[in-house]
Amino acid sequence: IRAYSGGMEDTAFNVRMVKAMRNLGLGLQMIQDGVNPIYQLDDTFYPDQALFSKAYNHVQNPNEGFMALMVCDHADENCPLVQGMKYRIPLRYVDPKAYDDTENEERAYTEKVFEIGREIYYLFNGLSSF
């Protein structure tokens, strides 16, 4: 499985989520600072893939035959058509931003990383049926 990322618009990778991923041991390094920083995952499988906020139809992403995982609680309704997708799977995660700047912020983001990881692991284990 080759993973790509993209949304309906480019913004920036939430620094709170970056911190949670790093705290859980993912080697996520910023390689270019700015309004929309670029990161690289310290991973054998993706050694040269730049990670940054981008639209799903960005040139770095495939333009057909991909599986679209809709990973926020409103994406399934707000993104009715993703051009080029072969499969569409909604995984409705509630955004942990409701906890921003509270004493529960770090816990909320860490729990979200675990939740997403568990469910994507479960999903990918069942891909043989596709």
Side-chain angles (χ1 to χ4, degrees):
I1 296 173
R2 180 101 176 143
Y4 299 87
S5 68
M8 296 310 293
E9 61 184 355
D10 58 335
T11 55
F13 197 164
N14 186 312
V15 295
R16 294 168 175 96
M17 188 60 77
V18 170
K19 179 180 177 186
M21 293 172 73
R22 285 176 174 161
N23 287 345
L24 292 171
L26 292 172
L28 197 58
Q29 303 301 320
M30 183 186 301
I31 59 173
Q32 183 177 323
D33 198 2
V35 176
N36 186 2
I38 300 175
Y39 296 86
Q40 189 168 10
L41 188 60
D42 183 20
D43 186 356
T44 311
F45 298 108
Y46 301 101
D48 299 321
Q49 187 174 9
L51 305 173
F52 57 98
S53 179
K54 60 194 159 301
Y56 77 90
N57 58 357
H58 187 274
V59 68
Q60 180 175 311
N61 293 338
N63 58 11
E64 64 181 21
F66 57 89
M67 178 188 312
L69 298 177
M70 313 305 281
V71 295
C72 66
D73 58 346
H74 66 277
D76 199 32
E77 294 86 16
N78 294 335
C79 310
L81 179 62
V82 178
Q83 294 290 331
M85 71 178 177
K86 186 171 182 177
Y87 301 104
R88 178 191 186 99
I89 300 174
L91 299 173
R92 297 178 181 211
Y93 301 114
V94 176
D95 194 328
K97 68 182 174 186
Y99 294 95
D100 287 3
D101 302 318
T102 71
E103 63 184 38
N104 294 320
E105 176 183 284
E106 189 169 335
R107 183 177 55 85
Y109 280 86
T110 299
E111 288 175 359
K112 195 56 59 181
V113 171
F114 275 120
E115 178 184 7
I116 292 170
R118 279 191 312 269
E119 292 184 11
I120 289 184
Y121 178 80
Y122 177 81
L123 172 67
F124 286 0
N125 275 313
L127 283 180
S128 62
S129 63
F130 280 96

